[in-house]
Amino acid sequence: MNGKIIILMCLLITSTTIFGCSNNTINQLTTDDIKLYSESMDSDPLSGDITLNGNKISLPIDVGELTKMKFSFSDFFAKDQELENGYYVDGISMDGKKMDENTRISVTIYNTSGSSVSLQDAKIGEIGIEKSSASYKNTAVLPRGITLESSYDDVIKAYGIPQVNDGNSISYIAAGNVDNCGKQLEIAFDDNTKIINSIKLKNIPIN
């Protein structure tokens, strides 16, 4: 990738929210939910599969697919901004309500189509979920039943020893991952409880 498109980054400084979403949260996950969602996904934690609020996602996905999951562009004018081929923009916030941390996720949008496209015709290659507080409303299930309620020991048991472990966060990285492309699963934990407080899943093909 050539880098981030400067115009988009300037727009993001003026507004941290390009996208918004309506009611698409599930506050509770049952054991049966976790089993059902896990069985629907690839068992490889780097497959790009995740179930968010009951919706299975297999990264990368078209930005347009978000409308099927009740996500939509906000009224922010940058929705019509074009993204050049070989560029990406990350840290784009998506909320159930504008600026609502309890429903917020972040995404990375990229374009490798060969020509410039509008944001709505680009692809999402990374999703970040940060449980900001106990009132956080989004639910997430990763392959092999890992959720935002899973512990450090649960993750190690499910996925094995990570390539990166700095004490508070761990990362699983596919061979050949370079720069902002490739496959990576980064999981961070609460310092005291050792329960997951953030997940970042990436699957951006290397061209």
Side-chain angles (χ1 to χ4, degrees):
M1 298 246 176
N2 295 327
K4 301 177 185 177
I5 191 164
I6 296 174
I7 294 175
L8 277 173
M9 292 308 296
C10 292
L11 291 173
L12 286 173
I13 291 172
T14 61
S15 174
T16 58
T17 304
I18 290 183
F19 295 95
C21 61
S22 57
N23 290 330
N24 63 340
T25 57
I26 300 173
N27 296 327
Q28 299 281 335
L29 279 174
T30 67
T31 301
D32 287 342
D33 289 334
I34 296 170
K35 183 175 184 294
L36 177 65
Y37 299 152
S38 298
E39 290 174 348
S40 73
M41 294 184 287
D42 192 306
S43 62
D44 180 359
L46 294 174
S47 64
D49 282 2
I50 185 173
T51 298
L52 177 64
N53 299 331
N55 299 294
K56 180 187 174 183
I57 298 170
S58 295
L59 296 174
I61 62 170
D62 294 335
V63 172
E65 288 189 34
L66 292 178
T67 59
K68 301 175 184 177
M69 296 175 275
K70 300 182 181 179
F71 288 91
S72 62
F73 283 103
S74 71
D75 293 332
F76 187 59
F77 67 90
K79 66 182 181 181
D80 296 322
Q81 174 68 46
E82 286 200 342
L83 188 62
E84 293 182 23
N85 179 58
Y87 283 78
Y88 73 99
V89 58
D90 60 10
I92 298 178
S93 295
M94 305 170 70
D95 307 288
K97 292 182 179 179
K98 194 171 184 180
M99 306 303 292
D100 181 1
E101 292 184 356
N102 289 324
T103 58
R104 182 170 299 163
I105 64 171
S106 64
V107 298
T108 294
I109 294 179
Y110 73 97
N111 175 27
T112 55
S113 67
S115 60
S116 296
V117 298
S118 65
L119 285 183
Q120 59 191 350
D121 292 323
K123 288 186 176 292
I124 291 177
E126 183 177 73
I127 291 178
I129 302 162
E130 184 172 355
K131 187 169 60 177
S132 53
S133 69
S135 58
Y136 190 71
K137 296 178 181 179
N138 291 323
T139 64
V141 180
L142 291 168
R144 306 182 198 174
I146 297 300
T147 75
L148 288 169
E149 302 303 317
S150 297
S151 68
Y152 174 89
D153 289 341
D154 293 333
V155 175
I156 299 301
K157 182 178 180 180
Y159 300 149
I161 302 301
Q163 282 87 351
V164 178
N165 187 343
D166 68 5
N168 291 325
S169 66
I170 59 177
S171 293
Y172 297 89
I173 305 170
N177 182 34
V178 293
D179 297 329
N180 294 288
C181 302
K183 300 179 179 182
Q184 183 171 358
L185 172 59
E186 181 180 340
I187 300 175
F189 303 88
D190 180 90
D191 291 341
N192 298 317
T193 66
K194 300 302 179 185
I195 300 298
I196 292 175
N197 60 18
S198 72
I199 293 170
K200 186 179 289 185
L201 178 66
K202 174 169 63 179
N203 185 3
I204 302 179
I206 301 173
N207 290 338

